[in-house]
Every structure is written in C-alpha cells, then in structure tokens.
Amino acid sequence: MTTPPVPPPSPGHHSRPPGLPLSSRQEWCWEWHRCYAGTYPAAVSLDCSTALRLLGPLDTGALRDAFAEVTLRHDALRLRLDGDPDRIGGVVHPLQSLRATPLPLDEAELPPTPHAFLVDLSTRPFPVTEHLGRARLLRAAPDHHVLLTSFHHLVFDAASHGVFLADLAHAYDRRVTGVRDAPALRSPFSYLDLVRAENTPRSLAERARRLTERAATLRAHGAGDLLPGRTPGPPALSHRYEEEPFALSAAHTRRLLHTARAARVGLYALLAAAFAAALGRHFDRDRLILSTPSHGRLRPEHRGAVGDFANMVQIPLDLSHDGPGALRHAHEAVRAAAATVDLPFARLAESVLGRTGADGFYRYALAHAELRLHGVTGWALDPYRDDARPMHGLRTAVLPLRQDFSRLAYATRQSSDAAAATLSLSLTMTPDARLTGTLRHETTHHGPRTARTILTHLHHHLTTLATPLDA
C-alpha cells in the first residue's frame, strides 16, 4: 500500500500546513481505536494520562511556563488529525499536522474524593482535529495540587511518561531557582522527522519487501486461525473478561533464571516457549503466534523523546522443538520479532487477513495469545510505576488511575472474534524475585476452566524447565 496522497486544503484552512501520514507505530493505535463500539471513549480509553500530585508551595506561573516549554519542545504533543471529525472513523488512514502553539493548561478545583473525577476527566474524548492532548492543574488546598495530563495514544506511549515528567521538572526548577546559567532542555528529537524518514521512496520500498516476507511467515504459522472456544458460532459483540491468577515462588523463579542463563536465552524467551507449549497441548496445535507490545525505542535519541514509538510485534513459534532446542528457537523468534517493530501493523494485518469494509484490526488480530513480561525485559513497561521526578520545594508522586476494562463492546465481527479468542498472560517480576500475574480471558468464548487448564500446563512446563541451582 502506498502512502495516501495529501489532499488539497479545504476553504478556511489555508494556514494549516500539509498533512503527514501516520507513523508505522501510530497505525496500530489507529486500528485499535476503531475496534470499539460507540463514540470514543464509550468502550475503552485510548488516553495516556498522568496524575501528578504536588505537595508544597507551588509557583503556578512557573509551572504553566514549564508546561508550555515542554509541549513546544516535543512536536508529537502538538500533533492533530486533519480532516472532518465525522469522517475519522473511515477506513482511510488519517493525515496529521502540527499545531503551532503550546497546549493550554487549564485550572480547576479538586473535589474531596478525586479518583472518579480524575478518571472521568482523563477519558473524555479529544477534539482530535484541534489537539491530541490536554492538561489541568487541580487545586485541593494552597499547598496541595494535582497536575492531570492526558494525551491520546497516537502521540504518547508508556515510555513517554518518564520523559515528559523529567523535562517538566527540569523546566520548572530552572524557573523557580532563578539560576540563569542552568542548562536548558537538550535539543529535541523531532517525531515529525521520524515520520518523514519513514516515507521516503527508499524506506517505503524496503519496508514493503520486509512486510511481504513477514506476512508470509505469519500466514504459515496460522495467523487468523483463531483459537476455538467452548461455544459454537461467533461471540456477541459485547464481551466480559475475567482473570485467573498465576504465581511462582521466589525459589522457582530463581531456578528459571538459572536455566535461562545456562541456555543463553532471555527470561521472556523461556516463558514464551513454555506458554506456547501449554497452549499447543490444550488446543492440539504445532504452530502458534504470540504477540506483545514493544516499546520500539531502538535508537539512543528515541529514549529522550515523547511520542508513540510502541508497536505490536508477533512471535511465530514452531512447537516441534524439545528441551534446549525449544528455548533457542524461542530466543531467535523473539529476536526476529524485535526487528519488525517498525512494520506498520495495519498494513501487515491487511496483507495477512484482508479487510472487510471499514473494519479496524484488533491489536492482537495476528496472534493467538499475548504474553507480557514487566520489569525485566525492557519490552513492556509497567503501567503503574511511579515516574515522578523531584521538583524544587515540592514533594511529588504519581497517583494511580485505574480503569475498569472487564466489559468491552466491539464495533465489528472481525474485531470481536479476534478479541474473544485471544488469551492474555501478563507477568511481573516482584521486588522479592517472584513471578506473578494473571491470564485474562473472555468468559463466554474460553471461560475459567480453559484458563485454569492452560495455567496448569504452563506450571508443568515451567517446573520441567526449572534447573536445580546446584546442577
């Protein structure tokens, strides 16, 4: 698929610069956005919000200036979608352009019981043709404020939280301390330059070649061949999700780490091999595809930038390998998947699955199951970590904003079927070196008995892999 042409400016919009296509990383988010029923965010929130508590004497003018500086520095924060908002749900990929001015910082009072209020503010729809972010400074008391920032996932990912808050603290401190020779923020990385570099004729041709090769690999491993459920026929468009807990002791986890080191593979590869084997045993499959979000920040300059660098990557696994061979195979499959993070998810899915009308693709549509590992791989970042940075004269902390995703409604059959069939295992390494997590499943399609059986198989495989420490 070629880059969509830039349309001529409409009357009344002559001052708006020519639009750019979405980046390869933004494409998956756009597809995900269109999967859900109702007007965004009626079904699911695609915002990346941070509620930063500020305790102490706050200089609100300095904070306002610092916020403006940071939003001017990171051009991704000033992107907006082009075109008529009524047509944004169509199958055509939208174009985007830069808003020249910094985002405004509004002020309001914080109610005594703030959590529901903060969640409501953070999940309200964005006027996407004006801006994809917003901020409010909420006052609870003279020495107690909360800065709530919300950005659409199209311009903000999990790693952006830490970058944004660090730059905000730096800019604020420079203003309130009055140190004239304090260093300014470092030169920014331009997200727009990333988009332009991806759309040169040479880049497009090379990416098209790699996309064709990857699509063939995914088709060969059963992409689109959904895991069967316990009920005949397609599920309803409205889903209910539950989670089955899973945990390993610290001793068991240490033995798995020992096995991984001995085999010269990462812990994620070991877990991928075991999880795929458990799924293969239950569903009688010899090939499977796992999926995971990758942070996608492959170059040093990406690590200090705000924007959506994340993407969904697929890990095709052949289950015919045994013992150490299975670990090495999983290790190589994970490495190959990491190299595909710049492939546009939507075009890859369209090549493998085809597209029906204006359907959007569910984010795990190309895989049978999801595996996330937080804290040790650097792939999936912990969404509940505290990215707060010290600010001059203030105590800071990030407040959790937890939303209920147990009930979701999908817009199309394709999205609904893929979402219902996808099993999602999320694991975290705790501070005391235990692996804990949950297996999320759709209650009608798979149900708790299927989830518990798969976790029993997984525990068996991990017990087999756990090398004694004195071996």
Side-chain angles (χ1 to χ4, degrees):
M1 183 183 296
T2 59
T3 303
V6 178
S10 58
H13 291 81
H14 296 290
S15 61
R16 180 167 290 189
L20 288 171
L22 298 179
S23 75
S24 60
R25 322 303 174 84
Q26 291 173 308
E27 279 203 3
W28 78 269
C29 181
W30 181 248
E31 292 294 315
W32 180 28
H33 177 109
R34 297 192 302 110
C35 281
Y36 297 100
T39 303
Y40 167 80
V44 65
S45 171
L46 292 187
D47 68 280
C48 295
S49 296
T50 304
L52 181 67
R53 174 179 280 154
L54 305 165
L55 298 176
L58 175 67
D59 186 333
T60 57
L63 182 66
R64 186 181 298 279
D65 290 345
F67 179 78
E69 179 182 352
V70 174
T71 59
L72 281 173
R73 175 179 181 267
H74 295 286
D75 56 11
L77 299 183
R78 292 181 289 114
L79 286 172
R80 58 185 173 185
L81 300 185
D82 290 339
D84 184 345
D86 293 335
R87 298 178 57 228
I88 285 175
V91 69
V92 176
H93 297 283
L95 298 174
Q96 58 188 339
S97 58
L98 198 64
R99 188 176 188 267
T101 57
L103 290 176
L105 177 58
D106 299 326
E107 294 191 36
E109 294 296 315
L110 187 68
T113 53
H115 183 265
F117 177 73
L118 294 173
V119 170
D120 175 65
L121 284 181
S122 67
T123 57
R124 291 179 182 178
F126 291 97
V128 293
T129 57
E130 295 303 321
H131 53 79
L132 292 165
R134 57 175 169 253
R136 287 198 180 191
L137 181 62
L138 304 165
R139 181 182 181 274
D143 59 351
H144 181 187
H145 295 79
V146 172
L147 174 65
L148 178 66
T149 56
S150 299
F151 298 100
H152 197 288
H153 209 331
L154 283 167
V155 297
F156 207 88
D157 57 18
S160 294
H161 289 280
V163 176
F164 174 80
L165 291 178
D167 282 356
L168 183 68
H170 182 92
Y172 177 81
D173 289 350
R174 200 173 69 250
R175 284 166 172 78
V176 298
T177 58
V179 179
R180 294 183 178 275
D181 59 349
L185 293 174
R186 57 194 177 279
S187 298
F189 172 87
S190 172
Y191 195 79
L192 268 65
D193 285 348
L194 171 70
V195 177
R196 295 185 185 102
E198 286 187 339
N199 286 280
T200 64
R202 181 176 180 180
S203 295
L204 290 172
E206 173 63 15
R207 198 168 63 189
R209 179 190 63 79
R210 293 170 53 228
L211 189 146
T212 299
E213 293 174 354
R214 192 62 175 175
T217 299
L218 296 178
R219 280 193 294 268
H221 283 77
D225 180 11
L226 303 176
L227 295 179
R230 59 181 182 170
T231 57
L237 295 179
S238 295
H239 294 185
R240 182 169 176 266
Y241 294 90
E242 292 180 351
E243 295 177 341
E244 292 294 325
F246 183 77
L248 297 177
S249 68
H252 196 163
T253 303
R254 286 195 298 270
R255 290 196 297 270
L256 289 176
L257 290 169
H258 181 73
T259 299
R261 285 194 296 269
R264 297 186 177 182
V265 303
L267 179 61
Y268 185 91
L270 182 149
L271 293 170
F275 186 37
L279 293 168
R281 177 177 174 182
H282 182 80
F283 293 104
D284 191 26
R285 298 184 65 101
D286 57 6
R287 286 187 168 190
L288 276 165
I289 303 172
L290 300 182
S291 184
T292 194
S294 170
H295 62 69
R297 294 170 181 257
L298 305 180
R299 292 163 49 187
E301 57 267 33
H302 295 168
R303 296 167 194 163
V306 169
D308 187 9
F309 293 83
N311 204 350
M312 305 310 303
V313 296
Q314 297 77 39
I315 307 167
L317 295 168
D318 185 338
L319 305 184
S320 63
H321 300 275
D322 294 319
L327 299 185
R328 292 305 307 173
H329 170 68
H331 177 75
E332 294 302 323
V334 168
R335 289 185 60 186
T340 66
V341 71
D342 63 326
L343 293 181
F345 170 79
R347 302 181 194 188
L348 186 60
E350 195 168 64
S351 177
V352 175
L353 305 175
R355 191 190 288 272
T356 303
D359 287 7
F361 292 108
Y362 180 62
R363 57 181 173 164
Y364 302 119
L366 290 170
H368 303 101
E370 174 200 13
L371 174 61
R372 292 192 186 210
L373 178 59
H374 300 286
V376 294
T377 64
W379 275 39
L381 301 178
D382 185 352
Y384 302 120
R385 70 195 192 283
D386 189 345
D387 283 316
R389 297 294 191 273
M391 297 175 70
H392 185 78
L394 300 171
R395 300 193 307 276
T396 63
V398 172
L399 303 177
L401 294 176
R402 301 181 187 273
Q403 301 173 42
D404 182 8
F405 297 123
S406 62
R407 296 178 184 272
L408 298 175
Y410 297 87
T412 64
R413 178 61 56 197
Q414 185 181 63
S415 299
S416 175
D417 292 354
T422 303
L423 291 159
S424 179
L425 179 63
S426 180
L427 298 172
T428 299
M429 181 77 80
T430 64
D432 59 349
R434 293 181 300 114
L435 277 173
T436 67
T438 59
L439 181 62
R440 176 181 168 89
H441 61 91
E442 206 281 322
T443 55
T444 301
H445 188 77
H446 286 303
R449 180 178 297 180
T450 295
R452 287 194 290 266
T453 300
I454 291 168
L455 290 179
T456 298
H457 295 330
L458 175 62
H459 194 278
H460 169 76
H461 285 292
L462 292 176
T463 299
T464 302
L465 287 170
T467 304
L469 294 179
D470 58 355

